[in-house]
Amino acid sequence: MIRLASVPASSRNAVLFSMLAVCWGSSFVAIEVGLEYVPPLLFAGLRYAVAGILVLGYAMLVTDRVRPSGRDEWLAVTVVGAFVIALYHGLLYMGELYVSGAVAATIVSTAPILTVAFAGVVLPDERLGRLGIVGFVLGLMGVVLVVRPDPTGLGDGFTLGAALVFGSAVAFALGSVLIKPLESDLPLESLEAWAMLFGAGVLLIWAGLRGESVGAIEMSSTAIVSYLYLTLVSGVFAFLVYFELLDRTGAVQVNLVGYAEPAVAIGVSWLVLGTVVDSVTVVGLVTILVGFIVVKRRTLRYLLRSWTKPAGKEPIRIPPNRTEPRTDGGSVLEDGSNEKIQEATGAEGNCSSH
């Protein structure tokens, strides 16, 4: 696990949170850079094949059970691997052929709002109230502000890319909802590893069907650096940080990192590529954030109270049966009866990371 012996105890959670936001936020830009040299689905599939093997090795060292057993556990691996790894990343990588990493990160930040909306349709106990519907509409308005679709140019590359990225957020949200009814005691690390490997297999088959080939890869130092960064830093290292922060703070606080990722992506995109997003895109990001706050107002209120509670008081519990996805390629569903699956689902993201 991550050790920060030289960092004051009061600052360690903030340092880990910042590290995770940088790792996952910068991954959108690393994807944008790598796509200049590697076909999208092959890029994502090769990345998660290696990351899955490394995380599986880590799971063998730190957990008491690596192999899933029973219908629900294998179904959990399949759902997370298919929706949260394969569909989410496949559509995201293809979308970034047309839009910048900063724009992609902003659109993907709607995933938590979409998850709550889908949960309201699929799960009767979690229907959106009036304010929840307002938050959902704000999220969609934020996407419209970012994309600004022109009826006369709906076939242009930017609109297509934005639609693909939004589709990735939809896939992520559906996977987060579909996983909720499943029961599992499989350790989080093991579930993440098997989902990565399954998702990598789906991505590589999809790449073959799309006509992508290894021969199309342009081997360059930039391509290698991008791949290694996404696999080892945004992938394996970021998950070690995630596991440590999850142990320290719990799932709800960890998942707030998803709303720091677009800001990181915008900053890194400017530093590395010289790309500057316009003011309307920033307004769109803020609108999405406001929508998230409206949708998750109760959870955030409890969380704020837990941060400000007087010493010696009993910890304030987050109310159950609330969905809380993670756009690092992962998500968390807040329901103590199914903790391991709920902690694992969700990007890059995401039981995946971006």
Side-chain angles (χ1 to χ4, degrees):
M1 303 300 281
I2 305 299
R3 301 302 177 197
L4 299 171
S6 61
V7 177
S10 59
S11 303
R12 289 175 186 172
N13 291 349
V15 169
L16 288 168
F17 185 94
S18 300
M19 290 167 64
L20 195 57
V22 169
C23 287
W24 280 340
S26 61
S27 66
F28 289 96
V29 181
I31 292 168
E32 180 183 356
V33 171
L35 287 172
E36 295 288 333
Y37 308 93
V38 188
L41 300 179
L42 198 58
F43 193 8
L46 291 174
R47 172 194 175 188
Y48 276 100
V50 174
I53 291 170
L54 294 176
V55 174
L56 185 62
Y58 175 75
M60 291 178 179
L61 295 175
V62 302
T63 68
D64 57 0
R65 188 160 66 91
V66 174
R67 187 177 180 276
S69 64
R71 173 184 172 276
D72 272 11
E73 289 187 356
W74 281 110
L75 189 56
V77 168
T78 301
V79 170
V80 176
F83 283 88
V84 179
I85 300 293
L87 273 176
Y88 170 69
H89 289 89
L91 294 172
L92 173 64
Y93 278 56
M94 288 194 293
E96 284 206 42
L97 291 171
Y98 307 98
V99 302
S100 69
V103 168
T106 302
I107 296 172
V108 163
S109 66
T110 59
I113 300 172
L114 292 171
T115 301
V116 175
F118 288 143
V121 174
V122 176
L123 306 173
D125 293 338
E126 299 189 15
R127 290 178 180 170
L128 285 177
R130 291 180 181 178
L131 280 178
I133 293 173
V134 170
F136 174 69
V137 171
L138 284 171
L140 295 182
M141 288 175 57
V143 173
V144 171
L145 286 170
V146 173
V147 179
R148 279 158 283 169
D150 181 356
T152 63
L154 290 178
D156 66 11
F158 184 87
T159 303
L160 173 61
L164 288 169
V165 174
F166 186 71
S168 75
V170 170
F172 178 88
L174 281 173
S176 300
V177 172
L178 293 175
I179 202 70
K180 185 167 187 181
L182 302 177
E183 297 289 341
S184 173
D185 293 321
L186 185 67
L188 173 59
E189 296 85 350
S190 301
L191 177 55
E192 298 239 6
W194 285 108
M196 286 180 180
L197 291 172
F198 180 84
V202 174
L203 284 164
L204 293 174
I205 292 171
W206 188 2
L209 295 173
R210 190 170 178 266
E212 298 180 7
S213 68
V214 176
I217 297 175
E218 182 183 341
M219 293 300 294
S220 68
S221 58
T222 303
I224 293 170
V225 169
S226 173
Y227 177 78
L228 292 177
Y229 183 85
L230 286 167
T231 303
L232 301 179
V233 179
S234 296
V236 177
F237 174 74
F239 271 105
L240 294 180
V241 176
Y242 166 70
F243 295 144
E244 179 72 15
L245 196 56
L246 189 65
D247 286 340
R248 289 170 173 269
T249 67
V252 177
Q253 296 183 52
V254 172
N255 288 313
L256 294 178
V257 76
Y259 285 89
E261 290 170 19
V264 171
I266 289 170
V268 173
S269 185
W270 173 67
L271 289 172
V272 176
L273 303 176
T275 303
V276 179
V277 300
D278 57 28
S279 58
V280 180
T281 298
V282 175
V283 172
L285 173 59
V286 173
T287 304
I288 293 169
L289 176 59
V290 172
F292 169 78
I293 292 172
V294 172
V295 168
K296 300 300 297 178
R297 63 196 181 280
R298 292 189 181 92
T299 298
L300 294 174
R301 187 184 305 125
Y302 276 86
L303 190 57
L304 182 62
R305 287 174 58 195
S306 72
W307 287 341
T308 58
K309 70 179 180 66
K313 295 283 186 180
E314 284 295 316
I316 296 171
R317 304 289 183 184
I318 301 296
N321 298 322
R322 305 287 180 193
T323 54
E324 184 71 32
R326 212 172 32 81
T327 56
D328 58 321
S331 76
V332 177
L333 302 180
E334 302 164 25
D335 183 340
S337 65
N338 199 9
E339 182 177 357
K340 290 299 180 184
I341 288 182
Q342 293 155 359
E343 287 174 351
T345 52
E348 222 253 352
N350 247 105
C351 69
S352 61
S353 60
H354 296 304

